Amino acid sequence: IVPLEGVEGKSVIAWGLIKHWIDNQFFGHPSGKISLPNQAIFGTSSGVAIDMFYRGLACGVPGINRTINVIPHTRWATKDLKTFFKEETIERFGQKTTRLQYILPAPAIMIIDEFDGFKKQKSLKSRYLAAIIRKGVAAGSKFVFMSATPGVTVNNMWAFAIATGRKFNGEQITEDTWASVASAISSRSNAKPDDNSEKAMTEFRKEFSDCYIVPPRDTSNIKVENRTL
């Protein structure tokens, strides 16, 4: 448990979760036994990556910059990290297409901070994230999505939904099935997946209610102040 102090918030919760995984030997995840720089990944926006690095050190998380790494979202497509991916050709809906494959073992736990930056499923950085999620879901990895800017359309939540590893109407939620899943959830409120609909988002949260982390708000024990300077 890492207590919140001062202006600390979701980042401390995230580092606390990573430390919990480390303290418990990554709960037997295969990557926890391999000394690679991705046993745990803290992905965040480039503007706060350095702050998140020092926040992890302050939280007493061991192995930072060795087996635990803070990686800006835009860095995946750069020369030094894109070597961890390769293009593969698959058949999708009767047509051949290419997608990225993550060739390293999946991280045991990955934090996706500021995940509102991945609203567009077909963006370049989303393609890299999708490859890691795909590998991680198959390996039993855990993904934690954080953002102070909530999704406003059901389609904004594509990565979160796929990363849960859940099934919808008996079928695994994947990049291929997501469109039908999003349409079905949105239709409950007579909306479409790209509609800015509060009712549709409420339906989405109902569907994935057990996948949400809701920190306790006991102000008598923990006081948190969030400010933008």
Side-chain angles (χ1 to χ4, degrees), residues 5 18 20 24 32 44 52 62 68 71 78 92 101 107 128-129 133 194 198 201 213 227:
E5 298 178 0
I18 289 178
H20 182 58
N24 288 276
T44 189
M52 294 303 103
I68 317 297
I71 300 178
T78 59
R92 178 176 290 166
Q101 179 186 15
Y128 282 93
L129 177 62
I133 290 176
D194 282 325
E198 184 177 346
M201 291 303 294
I213 298 173
R227 294 184 300 173

Side-chain angles (χ1 to χ4, degrees), residues 171-185:
E171 191 172 25
Q172 185 78 28
I173 302 174
T174 66
E175 295 157 86
D176 292 341
T177 63
W178 168 244
S180 61
V181 172
S183 180
I185 294 174

Side-chain angles (χ1 to χ4, degrees), residues 64-85:
I64 295 180
N65 261 11
R66 296 192 302 276
T67 57
I68 317 297
N69 272 278
V70 177
I71 300 178
H73 296 320
T74 53
R75 193 181 167 206
W76 291 110
T78 59
K79 185 177 181 179
D80 56 337
L81 291 187
K82 66 188 307 182
T83 55
F84 298 152
F85 300 82

Side-chain angles (χ1 to χ4, degrees), residues 80-107:
D80 56 337
L81 291 187
K82 66 188 307 182
T83 55
F84 298 152
F85 300 82
K86 70 176 183 179
E87 291 274 359
E88 63 175 350
T89 301
I90 62 169
E91 188 169 303
R92 178 176 290 166
F93 306 119
Q95 294 184 339
K96 289 186 177 181
T97 184
T98 60
R99 69 180 184 183
L100 289 171
Q101 179 186 15
Y102 187 57
I103 61 177
L104 287 181

Side-chain angles (χ1 to χ4, degrees), residues 32 42 46 48 76 96 108 110 127 144 148 150 157 219:
F42 194 120
S46 57
V48 298
W76 291 110
K96 289 186 177 181
M110 180 174 182
R127 292 184 64 214
V144 181
M157 309 301 289
T219 56

Side-chain angles (χ1 to χ4, degrees), residues 90-156:
I90 62 169
E91 188 169 303
R92 178 176 290 166
F93 306 119
Q95 294 184 339
K96 289 186 177 181
T97 184
T98 60
R99 69 180 184 183
L100 289 171
Q101 179 186 15
Y102 187 57
I103 61 177
L104 287 181
I109 179 172
M110 180 174 182
I111 306 297
I112 300 99
D113 187 24
E114 309 295 353
F115 90 91
D116 53 287
F118 293 97
K119 290 179 179 179
K120 296 182 179 179
Q121 186 177 357
K122 294 183 179 180
S123 70
L124 181 60
K125 61 182 179 181
S126 289
R127 292 184 64 214
Y128 282 93
L129 177 62
I132 300 174
I133 290 176
R134 200 181 309 118
K135 188 75 171 281
V137 168
S141 304
K142 300 299 180 184
F143 295 90
V144 181
F145 291 77
M146 308 190 306
S147 179
T149 307
V152 295
T153 75
V154 171
N155 262 345
N156 288 163

Side-chain angles (χ1 to χ4, degrees), residues 194-222:
D194 282 325
D195 287 349
N196 187 338
S197 169
E198 184 177 346
K199 290 182 178 180
M201 291 303 294
T202 297
E203 291 299 326
F204 178 87
R205 179 152 184 167
K206 287 179 181 178
E207 184 67 36
F208 294 92
S209 60
D210 57 340
C211 298
Y212 277 75
I213 298 173
V214 183
R217 297 181 179 180
D218 186 348
T219 56
S220 64
N221 295 324
I222 299 173

